[in-house]
Amino acid sequence: MLSRTLHITKVSLLNNTVPSLQIYNVKLYEIIKSNHLFHISTFPTFLSFRKLRRIMEELLSTEREYVKALGYIREHYFPELERADVPQDLRGQRGSIFGNLEKLHDFHRHHFLNELESSVNEPFRVGRCFLRHENFALYALYSKNKPQSDCLLINHGQAFFKQMLGDKMDLCSYLLKPVQRISKYSLLLHDMMRECGPGQTRELAEVKAALEVIHFQLRHGNNLLAMDAIRQCDVSLFCLTYV
């Protein structure tokens, strides 16, 4: 009977179908404590599964929105550069304006989103999703190109695209989404780490490693921007070493 009660409780927590979850959790806590089923220090981890599900659902829902936004850019903005009346300064500048956005969209649409969807009932598998791919290196390259893209749009393209498509949100805002997305991964992975219990050493290590992958790409992107700034600097660094 006890085994069946625990099984029903776990399924109910996973499916989020318990009307009064707080009362039910207290009852389960008392059953576990009185029967010494496992060390009580592991119990908060079990209770936090509902919060993990919320984190996972947020990760998945925002991932779908992100893929949709990147697809919108490709579908509606890419063709505009093929128009006969495109400003001269924007001709042949698709790579400079959009960077590697096409590759980012392909990666997330065909690979990463599918893996997140398959992990929705096993939140701690998310760490492996991040570790399985080297494609997150695309984000550092995207960040490196962003200043050049912003400059082109501000000086030559903003009015053109606004006039052609009439979007409420301008292209600069759309192109900021990859930068915002990788920062969002960092926040959600950090939240997930806080929910790891003492019995989840392996899962914690995977989520930590995934977080480090994201942090590395953020640092690498900043380093690439700094290197570009140094190359464009008018003052010779060689001369500065002797001042």
Side-chain angles (χ1 to χ4, degrees):
M1 179 64 185
L2 179 59
S3 174
R4 178 171 174 77
T5 301
L6 290 176
H7 174 72
I8 292 172
T9 304
K10 185 173 182 180
V11 170
S12 300
L13 283 170
L14 290 174
N15 295 330
N16 201 15
T17 57
V18 182
S20 181
L21 189 63
Q22 186 175 5
I23 295 173
Y24 210 74
N25 283 340
V26 170
K27 290 180 178 178
L28 177 62
Y29 178 90
E30 292 172 352
I31 292 171
I32 292 171
K33 185 176 181 180
S34 62
N35 288 273
H36 305 288
L37 293 178
F38 52 81
H39 196 277
I40 205 63
S41 65
T42 64
F43 187 69
T45 300
F46 185 62
L47 285 179
S48 71
F49 195 87
R50 193 162 181 251
K51 186 171 182 180
L52 280 169
R53 278 294 299 268
R54 286 200 298 268
I55 296 170
M56 188 66 208
E57 286 165 3
E58 182 180 358
L59 176 60
L60 188 54
S61 64
T62 54
E63 184 72 14
R64 288 175 179 142
E65 292 171 3
Y66 177 56
V67 169
K68 184 178 179 180
L70 296 187
Y72 181 85
I73 296 170
R74 289 180 68 174
E75 182 180 352
H76 292 88
Y77 282 94
F78 278 30
E80 293 301 313
L81 289 178
E82 307 301 323
R83 294 173 58 98
D85 59 344
V86 68
Q88 184 64 38
D89 291 312
L90 297 182
R91 294 182 185 277
Q93 296 293 331
R94 195 177 87 168
S96 298
I97 294 173
F98 298 103
N100 57 5
L101 184 141
E102 193 169 1
K103 290 182 178 179
L104 280 172
H105 182 229
D106 286 339
F107 163 57
H108 286 272
R109 178 178 58 165
H110 295 304
H111 302 287
F112 195 62
L113 176 57
N114 294 334
E115 293 186 18
L116 290 182
E117 287 175 335
S118 68
S119 304
V120 67
N121 291 319
E122 299 177 80
F124 285 122
R125 284 183 55 192
V126 166
R128 303 175 203 176
C129 296
F130 283 89
L131 298 174
R132 193 173 291 127
H133 299 285
E134 297 180 356
N135 301 69
F136 288 97
L138 293 170
Y139 280 91
L141 298 175
Y142 185 87
S143 297
K144 177 181 181 294
N145 182 72
K146 193 70 171 59
Q148 184 180 3
S149 171
D150 290 343
C151 184
L152 273 171
L153 289 176
I154 291 169
N155 293 325
H156 308 291
Q158 209 163 24
F160 170 74
F161 286 115
K162 190 74 173 178
Q163 180 183 355
M164 293 298 105
L165 293 172
D167 275 346
K168 292 181 181 179
M169 189 165 68
D170 59 29
L171 181 55
C172 284
S173 299
Y174 275 113
L175 294 180
L176 191 60
K177 286 186 176 294
V179 178
Q180 296 170 330
R181 188 59 186 161
I182 194 166
S183 297
K184 183 69 171 179
Y185 289 142
S186 175
L187 292 174
L188 291 174
L189 286 171
H190 191 268
D191 287 345
M192 194 167 284
M193 271 181 54
R194 290 189 298 187
E195 300 306 317
C196 289
Q200 295 165 312
T201 308
R202 177 182 173 183
E203 291 87 347
L204 177 61
E206 289 177 346
V207 175
K208 274 185 176 180
L211 187 60
E212 180 53 36
V213 167
I214 298 303
H215 285 172
F216 175 81
Q217 294 306 325
L218 288 168
R219 292 193 304 268
H220 189 43
N222 289 333
N223 290 340
L224 292 175
L225 287 171
M227 289 171 64
D228 275 356
I230 290 172
R231 290 192 190 102
Q232 295 165 12
C233 184
D234 292 332
V235 180
S236 171
L237 295 181
F238 177 78
C239 293
L240 286 176
T241 60
Y242 293 96
V243 173

